[in-house]
Amino acid sequence: MTTTAPGTPALTREELERELTARRVELRGYCYRMLGSAFDAEDAVQDTMVRAWKSVEGFQGRSGVRSWLYRIATNVCLTTIETRGRRARPMDLSATAWEPVEASLVRTRGEDTWLEPMVDGRVLPGAGDPAEIAVARESVRLAFVAALQHLPPRQRAVLILRDVLRWKADEVAALLDTTTVSVNSALQRARATLAERPDVTRTEPLGEGHRALLEEYVRAFEAYDIDAFVALLATDVTQNMPPFELWLEGADDIAAWMLGPGHRCRGSRLVPVTMNGSPAFAHYKPVGAHGELVPFAVQALELAEGRIARITSFLDTRLFGLFGFPQEPPA
């Protein structure tokens, strides 16, 4: 064990700066999984860094710097969850789908209600062991992050630290100021809860067939060829559009929506982006007399059995600025 001479700080500010720079992506990923919000994750990482800077002189080196930063980040996240509650998807708020009619647009909820997407590059490692990268990608899928929100906060932290980040039980116990027995018990309960949510495991690695499917999806959507569009959808496909509470189920209702209240999306442009380990698009919608294309939504897809299983259109255009998407689609 390395020791420092009396009066010598265990961690200098220069060393802390290097650690914070090196850990920013993984800390953001941890906070995103905990909070289910891209904006809250950014705030949590910033708060973690500020707290680390303020307390660096008190860092004694009894634990590693990484463990110390995760302890701070965990406390920030637990406080945020306590004050703001958990993030949800529209399907979590009503047991049955809505009618594909304009009247279904009357009910909305505030931005802090909804699960939010996240760009892969902001939370996933750019290089490393392929198996570890695959686990990390699976752990930021929308269905998985949504399922995490159903766990009590400390169980959520335990499952992420143990099953995603591969921490040892005694390391998690030290971070949470609890016992290894308690950590193992919390992990068992968390796994059981996730096992009850079938959509968590409903995923497939992207292959050439999926790439062809996505190309057809873009062609059909941009041409507004609803027959071709419907042919790409799973039988039990769902569509949701936060901040609206409504969600739709089944290809027929989604087609009726697109030809009805959603008809103003005719002439849209979809630009591929990488989000939540799954296919996604920046959606630009025509407005005005000349049909100028402007940011409208971030559209995330979830695939199953060679079909589109879920379409989520996040209508919060602040996401374009947060993720650095252009205000106009590329020529």
Side-chain angles (χ1 to χ4, degrees):
M1 178 176 176
T2 302
T3 59
T4 56
T8 302
L11 182 68
T12 67
R13 293 191 177 276
E14 291 77 13
E15 290 169 335
L16 175 60
E17 179 65 30
R18 288 196 295 271
E19 283 289 334
L20 291 174
T21 299
R23 303 292 180 192
R24 181 184 289 270
V25 170
E26 65 174 281
L27 285 171
R28 187 187 291 120
Y30 175 63
C31 293
Y32 173 66
R33 295 177 184 98
M34 284 289 292
L35 302 173
S37 163
F39 291 101
D40 284 355
E42 295 289 349
D43 290 345
V45 171
Q46 186 63 31
D47 195 359
T48 296
M49 293 183 170
V50 170
R51 294 189 188 191
W53 271 105
K54 289 181 177 180
S55 59
V56 64
E57 292 178 359
F59 175 69
Q60 301 297 317
R62 286 188 292 270
S63 63
V65 179
R66 183 172 184 250
S67 297
W68 178 62
L69 292 175
Y70 269 87
R71 176 189 286 268
I72 297 172
T74 299
N75 289 333
V76 170
C77 288
L78 293 176
T79 299
T80 300
I81 294 168
E82 182 179 342
T83 57
R84 298 190 183 180
R86 71 176 178 90
R87 297 281 177 155
R89 305 179 85 172
M91 295 79 72
D92 297 325
L93 304 181
S94 60
T96 57
W98 296 49
E99 294 294 321
V101 295
E102 188 118 16
S104 292
L105 291 172
V106 297
R107 293 179 61 178
T108 64
R109 295 204 186 191
E111 294 160 350
D112 59 355
T113 302
W114 305 111
L115 184 76
E116 294 170 352
M118 176 62 86
V119 170
D120 285 4
R122 300 180 76 85
V123 293
L124 297 179
D129 181 87
E132 292 182 0
I133 293 175
V135 170
R137 184 176 293 110
E138 285 293 298
S139 71
V140 295
R141 288 190 306 109
L142 282 171
F144 185 80
V145 177
L148 288 175
Q149 307 308 300
H150 290 269
L151 299 176
R154 288 175 70 85
Q155 279 188 31
R156 198 181 309 173
V158 167
L159 185 129
I160 296 168
L161 290 166
R162 291 282 284 118
D163 282 0
V164 177
L165 301 179
R166 306 300 188 187
W167 285 40
K168 296 178 181 178
D170 59 342
E171 294 173 330
V172 178
L175 183 145
L176 294 175
D177 290 323
T178 187
T179 65
T180 301
V181 171
S182 294
V183 166
N184 289 334
S185 176
L187 179 61
Q188 185 177 8
R189 294 196 302 273
R191 286 173 174 170
T193 299
L194 293 192
E196 295 173 355
R197 304 190 65 82
D199 56 339
V200 170
T201 57
R202 194 182 183 191
T203 183
E204 303 168 357
L206 291 179
E208 290 303 320
H210 292 105
R211 293 185 181 90
L213 171 68
L214 296 173
E215 290 172 0
E216 288 296 324
Y217 178 88
V218 171
R219 278 195 289 268
F221 193 97
E222 292 186 345
Y224 229 66
D225 183 341
I226 302 305
D227 289 339
F229 182 83
V230 165
L232 306 174
L233 305 181
T235 303
D236 58 349
V237 62
T238 64
Q239 181 178 15
N240 63 104
M241 295 161 281
F244 295 105
E245 290 187 29
L246 79 100
W247 63 280
L248 307 172
E249 184 173 30
D252 290 343
D253 275 7
I254 291 176
W257 177 269
M258 292 183 69
L259 292 171
H263 74 278
R264 293 182 182 85
C265 285
R266 188 185 300 272
S268 291
R269 175 91 179 274
L270 300 182
V271 177
V273 294
T274 55
M275 304 188 69
N276 293 93
S278 299
F281 302 93
H283 179 177
Y284 298 85
K285 179 180 174 180
V287 298
H290 301 290
E292 294 90 351
L293 291 169
V294 300
F296 175 64
V298 173
Q299 192 178 116
L301 305 184
E302 295 167 70
L303 311 182
E305 300 177 0
R307 290 288 183 268
I308 309 297
R310 180 168 289 160
I311 305 168
T312 302
S313 291
F314 297 95
L315 305 184
D316 186 350
T317 55
R318 296 179 307 154
L319 294 168
F320 281 72
L322 179 64
F323 298 147
F325 298 159
Q327 291 301 300
E328 297 179 1

